[in-house]
Amino acid sequence: MPIKFKVIDKLMFNRYKLLIGKKELTTKSNINLEPNTYYLAEIYDSLVFKNLQADKVFAYIDYDCFELLKIAFRDDFKYTLINSLIQTNQKSDYECYKTMLFALNEDILYLPCLLEGKPILIEYRKKKNELAIYYDVFAKLSLFLNDNKILTSFSKVQKICFEYSQNVELTTYKDDFFSLSYKGNL
């Protein structure tokens, strides 16, 4: 499985101090890494990192994903979002509800919530019948339901998915989750 680690500091000569679990170590990288940033990668022999990618950071609401999924498939989901947007006092929740509402207008279910206490981002594009999930060390899994195809950016995750489907492809990570683009001033 891929692992999550934090770059603590950049040292001299392309060396970096990393925190993996509770253990600190130094390593060399040909790729420029940002200090105080979490990354995901597959580790091979002699601490060789492959498929390195920055961990996606997204705002989420403090809601269990299974409960939110039940609500999302109700007929009154849009009104539930509007009421939540009106009633929230927290700026981060307001931003999440707003993004969820705008995505819903585009026929996209955008659900940033929690699974077992960890942030998970679930996005379902109704028109294309595609599901994308960003969760922990699995990073992004894309499921193309019309073609029965799974896309992942990690070869070790690909091997796990092969147990369930023979139509699994490896791809580079692409952050194409719903995002808002504003025109004018905020």
Side-chain angles (χ1 to χ4, degrees):
M1 288 299 297
I3 63 152
K4 183 185 278 190
F5 63 91
K6 182 178 181 180
V7 176
I8 298 173
D9 198 13
K10 182 175 184 175
L11 307 172
M12 296 171 44
F13 308 114
N14 292 333
R15 298 194 63 79
Y16 295 88
K17 184 188 277 189
L18 307 179
L19 180 64
I20 301 176
K22 294 181 181 181
K23 186 172 183 166
E24 287 186 16
L25 57 100
T26 59
T27 188
K28 184 178 179 181
S29 175
N30 295 330
I31 299 170
N32 218 6
L33 303 176
E34 290 291 321
N36 294 318
T37 303
Y38 284 92
Y39 288 88
L40 299 171
E42 293 175 315
I43 294 185
Y44 292 87
D45 296 335
S46 304
L47 280 179
V48 174
F49 291 78
K50 291 187 179 178
N51 297 326
L52 179 75
Q53 59 187 270
D55 189 26
K56 181 173 177 57
V57 178
F58 55 90
Y60 58 89
I61 53 176
D62 188 11
Y63 221 90
D64 178 70
C65 77
F66 294 110
E67 291 299 317
L68 188 57
L69 281 168
K70 287 178 193 174
I71 295 168
F73 285 101
R74 291 191 330 215
D75 290 338
D76 67 342
F77 181 55
K78 183 175 186 176
Y79 301 107
T80 303
L81 277 179
I82 292 169
N83 285 335
S84 298
L85 189 64
I86 292 169
Q87 293 175 1
T88 188
N89 297 346
Q90 297 181 357
K91 185 178 179 181
S92 60
D93 286 353
Y94 177 83
E95 292 298 321
C96 283
Y97 290 127
K98 181 176 71 171
T99 304
M100 292 167 70
L101 190 59
F102 279 119
L104 193 61
N105 272 354
E106 300 290 325
D107 247 359
I108 298 170
L109 276 179
Y110 180 87
L111 308 173
C113 48
L114 294 171
L115 176 64
E116 298 176 348
K118 293 181 182 176
I120 182 172
L121 177 54
I122 303 167
E123 182 177 287
Y124 176 64
R125 296 174 185 253
K126 294 178 186 179
K127 291 177 185 173
K128 296 181 179 181
N129 201 19
E130 297 173 0
L131 178 67
I133 300 168
Y134 191 95
Y135 180 66
D136 202 29
V137 295
F138 289 97
K140 182 181 177 188
L141 285 175
S142 296
L143 292 84
F144 298 88
L145 303 173
N146 291 337
D147 302 331
N148 292 324
K149 183 170 70 173
I150 301 172
L151 284 179
T152 179
S153 54
F154 291 117
S155 58
K156 292 184 179 185
V157 174
Q158 180 188 29
K159 289 176 188 173
I160 292 168
C161 291
F162 261 133
E163 294 177 18
Y164 303 100
S165 171
Q166 295 304 310
N167 199 3
V168 182
E169 293 181 19
L170 195 63
T171 183
T172 54
Y173 175 74
K174 182 179 170 189
D175 186 359
D176 58 355
F177 283 96
F178 180 80
S179 61
L180 297 172
S181 57
Y182 296 99
K183 293 181 181 173
N185 297 329
L186 288 178

